[in-house]
Amino acid sequence: MTTPVRTRPRGRTRLSALTGLTGLVALAALAAGTAPAQALDAAPTAPVASAAPTVEEQRLDRAVPQEILERAGFDAAAPEFARSLARAGSYRAAERTVERHAERLWRRAVDRAQGRGPAGGDLSRGDDRPLYWARLGMTRELRSWEPGFGLSDRQRARLLDRLERSSRGQDSMDFRSGKGAGKGVERVVLTGFDPFTLDRDIRIGNPSGATALALDGTLVRTASGRWARIETAVFPVRWADFADGTVERALRPVLPKADLVTTVSQGRPGRFDIERYNGAWRGGFGDNENASSTGVVPVADPASQPQWTATTLPYGAIVGAATGRFPVRDNTEVTEVPAGGTGPVVRPEGPTPGSAARSGGGGNYLSNEIAYRATLLRDRLGLGARLPAGHVHTPVLEFGAGNATEIEDPDFVRNRSEIVAQVREIVRAALAG
């Protein structure tokens, strides 16, 4: 996920998608360096307002999200969840309800993407957008729910956190059961993202999220003939969640068990990039809540925080492999403030000693940040010498030429399918490297 201005798909925003924007209020920008640095695996503790929908949730009533939900058969997910919540007579019962519906939503999205069960509608199966919009419908119901037994802001925050994590697959990355759980099977952790830049074009999907759904729990055969199992999760495009430690909470239990880790996001048109360097800097661009953040990436133990982390993916082997339709680049360019310098300088060959990060190879948005956090966690857990880990940027998922209104078309479906297939081949090449 590079800087949003670099990822504009073809076509204008649908006219009907411009309705319903009244009342969307941009959140105040986070002051540089002031976002709370939670412990690596701590749960968020900040209270949340009970009734007001978020900026993301306010987009839900527009025509395009409703069409996506209906044409995927996901339009009943939020109403069913609301009815179950209404029957919960205690906080513990609410916890069980949230857990059940959130896990069901993730599993249903994975099954749909992998061709299991009824499609539920005429929208192509590989689509990541129904999961995104259905989750927002559920979080909006939970945010406004007022049970008779009373619910504190802290309790509501914990329920929302559980809904988010479980419906994203973040707490179900488990190599101990299911296909490929036996000895000798290599273990791959892969992450994707929600759609973003939705105020530019609300029809947008994210090929990294689609990849996570398509590959979760699947097996790939490596060049050596061995099998590898892929476990996946999806992350929000929200600065605050990252500051609260959502990446570390999800990855800390699985990194020590993994043989390969790759974070994935949408990047530049027409190409894949293997990002060599990740920088400890937030560039201020708006997220899905229209919130902004500029400054050093907030992490636990900032006193030992490096300005840069590096991929340990075998980028040479990946770039050298014939992996698919799109070219794959080893991207080494960064932007830094050199040691003793006063302004940013672009470095095509990577950072120089003592420099301060301003942009990693993948920019200074949340794709750079997830790569930075994952590789920093790798190093702090002492896994850097043996664990290949890094970031892959996919091509932009584009609609067909001239399509400025329809939520999908043959080019869109083909592009998504080919990006997903090529990520799978990149994983195979990385395992062989």
Side-chain angles (χ1 to χ4, degrees), residues 10 14 63 71 96 99 121 131 153 165 169 180-181 189 259 270 283 287 290 300 307 328 340 364 389 405 416 427:
R10 291 196 297 267
R14 182 180 193 161
R71 291 179 59 184
R96 292 191 293 269
E99 180 178 354
L131 172 64
D153 281 348
R165 286 172 52 78
V189 173
D259 298 297
D287 63 9
N290 292 340
Q307 284 293 300
V328 182
N364 49 26
T405 59
R416 184 183 62 218
V427 168

Side-chain angles (χ1 to χ4, degrees), residues 110-128:
V110 168
D111 287 346
R112 189 177 193 275
Q114 297 182 16
R116 291 186 292 271
D122 67 346
L123 199 67
S124 56
R125 278 188 175 266
D127 207 311
D128 64 304

Side-chain angles (χ1 to χ4, degrees), residues 279-332:
W281 187 258
R282 292 177 158 190
F285 298 97
D287 63 9
N288 277 351
E289 285 291 313
N290 292 340
S292 177
S293 181
T294 303
V296 176
V297 170
V299 298
D301 194 14
S304 64
Q305 178 178 9
Q307 284 293 300
W308 305 97
T309 63
T311 188
T312 46
L313 293 174
Y315 47 85
I318 296 171
V319 171
T323 56
R325 164 187 163 195
F326 299 98
V328 182
R329 308 286 176 81
D330 170 22
N331 186 31
T332 59

Side-chain angles (χ1 to χ4, degrees), residues 40-42 165 170-176 187 189 235 245-258 261 377 381 383 386:
L40 285 177
D41 54 358
R165 286 172 52 78
Q170 291 178 9
D171 57 5
S172 61
M173 291 185 286
D174 185 2
F175 296 101
R176 295 173 298 179
R187 294 157 294 189
V189 173
F235 284 88
T246 187
V247 173
E248 292 82 0
R249 291 172 61 208
L251 296 185
R252 172 181 279 273
V254 293
L255 255 62
K257 306 168 187 175
V261 177
L377 181 61
L381 293 174
L383 304 171
R386 71 104 179 146

Side-chain angles (χ1 to χ4, degrees), residues 210-228:
T211 299
L213 294 177
L215 299 187
D216 186 53
T218 63
L219 298 174
V220 296
R221 198 174 189 94
T222 67
S224 66
R226 299 181 67 182
W227 289 97

Side-chain angles (χ1 to χ4, degrees), residues 44-111:
T45 57
V48 275
S50 61
T54 67
V55 171
E56 281 188 287
E57 291 163 357
Q58 289 180 56
R59 299 186 184 106
L60 185 60
D61 292 326
R62 293 161 66 181
V64 166
Q66 292 302 309
E67 182 181 354
I68 289 170
L69 289 169
E70 182 178 357
R71 291 179 59 184
F74 277 51
D75 50 332
E80 289 174 356
F81 176 59
R83 288 192 292 271
S84 293
L85 271 181
R87 294 192 294 268
S90 67
Y91 177 71
R92 294 301 181 192
E95 281 186 314
R96 292 191 293 269
T97 298
V98 167
E99 180 178 354
R100 182 172 69 255
H101 282 264
E103 289 177 351
R104 181 188 300 167
L105 182 63
W106 170 254
R107 186 48 47 197
R108 182 179 176 188
V110 168
D111 287 346

Side-chain angles (χ1 to χ4, degrees), residues 416-427:
R416 184 183 62 218
S417 177
E418 292 186 355
I419 290 170
V420 169
Q422 195 161 347
V423 174
R424 187 175 184 274
E425 291 306 306
I426 287 172
V427 168

